[in-house]
């Protein structure tokens, strides 16, 4: 059973460019969350998608946008890249239980490491 | 002030030692408490998950939550070199809390 898969694994961009990162959730999962992890820091919540809608968003600017497709896969787009956007971008999937039986326990992919020069 | 505080370490212990990892938090709405382990160049993986206050044990791992003190702990008994990783505490609010808040992570090294 494949877990969460992310692509690309590594990429290098220059300031001002745009990037698209992709994520396929674990089989049976319907919710996708994106996190940014800077070096030596814990993951920071960017946003969460469920039923193709952005359900909640963290403290990230509008340059960060996303999409969820009918097959539950997801994309993270970052426009006008800044040096500070260099980080590991983690996709995490979960199965929404309606909030009645515990927290959304996350299954993470290995991440996409973005370097902005 | 960060919602979740965690000492980044690094923490270095000999094989077989008992390891204690801790986090404090400020948001009293947190109800679910998790510990994730992250190996180098990998994504975090869930180790333990507890609801509200109390203890939970799973093999060599014990998680404790003290909501009155806003303090959570993870204990690792008989630590092994394979336990060397970054340990992240994580928390989420009760029903409707979709985002998970992570601590900065503690780097643990277990020496053979």
């Amino acid at each position: 059973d494949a877990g969460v898969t992310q692509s690309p694994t590594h990429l290098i961009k220059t300031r001002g460019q745009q990037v698209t990162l992709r994520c396929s959730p674990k089989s049976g999962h319907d919710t996708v969350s994106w996190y940014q992890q800077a070096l030596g820091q814990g993951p920071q919540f960017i946003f969460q998608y469920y039923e193709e809608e952005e359900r909640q968003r963290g403290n990230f600017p509008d340059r960060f946008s996303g999409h969820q497709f009918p097959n539950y896969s997801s994309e993270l787009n970052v426009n006008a890249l800044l040096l500070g956007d260099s980080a590991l971008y983690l996709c995490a999937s979960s199965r929404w239980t309606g909030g009645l039986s515990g927290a959304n326990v996350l299954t993470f992919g290995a991440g996409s490491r973005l370097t902005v020069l | 002030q960060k919602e979740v505080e965690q000492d980044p370490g690094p923490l270095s212990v000999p094989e077989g030692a008992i390891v204690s990892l801790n986090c404090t938090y400020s948001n009293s709405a947190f109800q679910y408490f998790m510990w994730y382990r992250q190996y180098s160049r990998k994504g975090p993986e869930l180790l333990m998950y507890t609801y509200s206050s109390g203890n939970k044990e799973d093999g060599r791992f014990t998680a404790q939550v003290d909501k009155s003190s806003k303090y959570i702990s993870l204990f690792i008994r008989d630590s092994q070199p394979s336990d060397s990783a970054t340990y992240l505490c994580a928390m989420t609010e009760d029903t409707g809390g979709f985002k998970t808040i992570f601590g900065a992570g503690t780097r643990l090294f277990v020496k053979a």
Side-chain angles (χ1 to χ4, degrees):
Chain A
D1 177 26
V4 178
T5 58
Q6 292 188 242
S7 63
T9 306
H10 297 86
L11 68 168
I12 299 173
K13 294 285 187 178
T14 57
R15 281 177 296 176
Q17 285 189 311
Q18 177 264 344
V19 68
T20 297
L21 308 178
R22 296 176 177 81
C23 171
S24 292
K26 181 179 178 179
S27 178
H29 286 185
D30 56 10
T31 302
V32 173
S33 303
W34 286 93
Y35 287 80
Q36 180 195 66
Q37 187 175 26
L39 199 61
Q41 301 295 316
Q44 300 291 314
F45 176 77
I46 302 175
F47 40 54
Q48 184 181 85
Y49 277 84
Y50 174 70
E51 292 188 339
E52 303 179 48
E53 297 281 339
E54 182 183 292
R55 186 155 65 174
Q56 192 172 22
R57 188 180 185 90
N59 292 329
F60 279 81
D62 292 345
R63 298 185 298 108
F64 290 77
S65 63
H67 190 78
Q68 186 180 33
F69 300 93
N71 66 352
Y72 308 119
S73 67
S74 178
E75 288 182 350
L76 166 65
N77 300 291
V78 187
N79 294 322
L81 285 167
L82 304 174
L83 295 179
D85 295 332
S86 295
L88 180 67
Y89 287 85
L90 294 163
C91 172
S93 71
S94 54
R95 185 175 67 87
W96 178 242
T97 57
L100 299 177
S101 57
N104 265 352
V105 174
L106 303 172
T107 301
F108 282 90
S112 295
R113 185 164 297 281
L114 171 65
T115 301
V116 182
L117 301 176
Chain B
Q1 182 188 7
K2 291 183 179 179
E3 280 189 285
V4 179
E5 297 280 357
Q6 183 176 12
D7 186 339
L11 180 62
S12 183
V13 301
E15 183 176 358
I18 296 175
V19 176
S20 173
L21 305 168
N22 311 291
C23 288
T24 59
Y25 63 94
S26 58
N27 184 354
S28 58
F30 287 142
Q31 294 283 357
Y32 297 95
F33 304 91
M34 286 76 73
W35 287 93
Y36 286 81
R37 178 175 62 195
Q38 185 173 24
Y39 290 112
S40 181
R41 303 184 185 282
K42 300 285 189 181
E45 57 177 338
L46 181 69
L47 269 180
M48 304 281 289
Y49 158 38
T50 54
Y51 173 71
S52 194
S53 287
N55 294 357
K56 186 173 184 178
E57 187 173 321
D58 183 2
R60 296 185 295 110
F61 298 89
T62 299
Q64 289 185 350
V65 175
D66 181 351
K67 291 191 67 183
S68 63
S69 301
K70 295 189 177 68
Y71 186 87
I72 71 170
S73 301
L74 177 71
F75 297 95
I76 307 174
R77 291 183 298 280
D78 187 26
S79 56
Q80 303 295 310
S82 59
D83 294 328
S84 298
T86 296
Y87 290 80
L88 298 154
C89 63
M91 309 174 190
T92 189
E93 297 179 5
D94 209 334
T95 306
F98 307 120
K99 65 179 179 180
T100 301
I101 306 299
F102 285 83
T106 299
R107 294 184 66 191
L108 172 66
F109 296 95
V110 181
K111 299 171 292 184

